Amino acid sequence: MKILSILAALTLATPVVAHDLGFAGLLSNNNKEDLEPLTLSVGQPIADAPLMLKSGTAYEIEIEADGTGELALEGAGFFRAIWINEIVINGIEIRPLGVDSIEFDEAGTVEIEFIAIKPGRYELRQPGSTGDGQRIEIVIQ
């Protein structure tokens, strides 16, 4: 019984020790790619080209709304094909279990740090829009 208690304690302590020593693995600053920011603005395209991602790679992207309207991005398929480490809004870090959409009621910026997981073609789209400029295609290879 004592051996099981020791093993349990070591198992629980290992991630803390590894994190404290700076072994961040995929999410360390050396292994993360910064993507071009996306901009939400009434009547303007979200991006110029599709995002090309590689499965197993860590990324960080900024999404900025300029305040010209209440704007959102939805993309349940994309958000389910990635693992989100954190979403940062005004310096507040959020570690969600899942995301369906992000909405801006006023100007602001959100940073999303994630790992691309499931290969496929996805999109983020402004809800209710039909124009190609109000969407961005995302390809995970």
Side-chain angles (χ1 to χ4, degrees):
M1 193 61 124
K2 189 173 184 177
I3 292 174
L4 290 176
S5 297
I6 292 170
L7 287 175
L10 287 174
T11 302
L12 292 173
T14 301
V16 174
V17 171
H19 184 275
D20 290 342
L21 293 175
F23 301 127
L26 269 177
L27 294 172
S28 72
N29 287 334
N30 296 334
N31 294 325
K32 185 173 46 179
E33 285 187 36
D34 290 331
L35 298 171
E36 289 295 318
L38 301 180
T39 302
L40 298 180
S41 181
V42 172
Q44 298 299 314
I46 296 170
D48 296 327
L51 286 178
M52 304 300 286
L53 308 178
K54 184 177 177 188
S55 180
T57 302
Y59 296 96
E60 183 171 299
I61 190 164
E62 281 189 10
I63 303 171
E64 182 178 351
D66 67 2
T68 56
E70 195 171 304
L71 298 166
L73 281 179
E74 63 183 10
F78 171 68
F79 288 123
R80 284 165 181 73
I82 64 175
W83 176 79
I84 299 175
N85 180 49
E86 68 181 11
I87 297 175
V88 181
I89 305 166
N90 293 330
I92 300 169
E93 297 175 0
I94 303 163
R95 292 189 168 62
L97 292 176
V99 174
D100 184 68
S101 64
I102 296 172
E103 183 173 336
F104 294 84
D105 292 338
E106 54 190 44
T109 302
V110 63
E111 297 170 16
I112 303 174
E113 185 178 283
F114 66 93
I115 297 174
I117 303 292
K118 186 178 176 187
R121 291 186 175 278
Y122 306 95
E123 70 177 17
L124 291 175
R125 163 180 299 283
Q126 291 181 4
S129 66
T130 57
D132 282 341
Q134 280 65 55
R135 64 180 282 281
I136 180 169
E137 182 180 14
I138 302 164
V139 177
I140 299 176
Q141 300 174 333

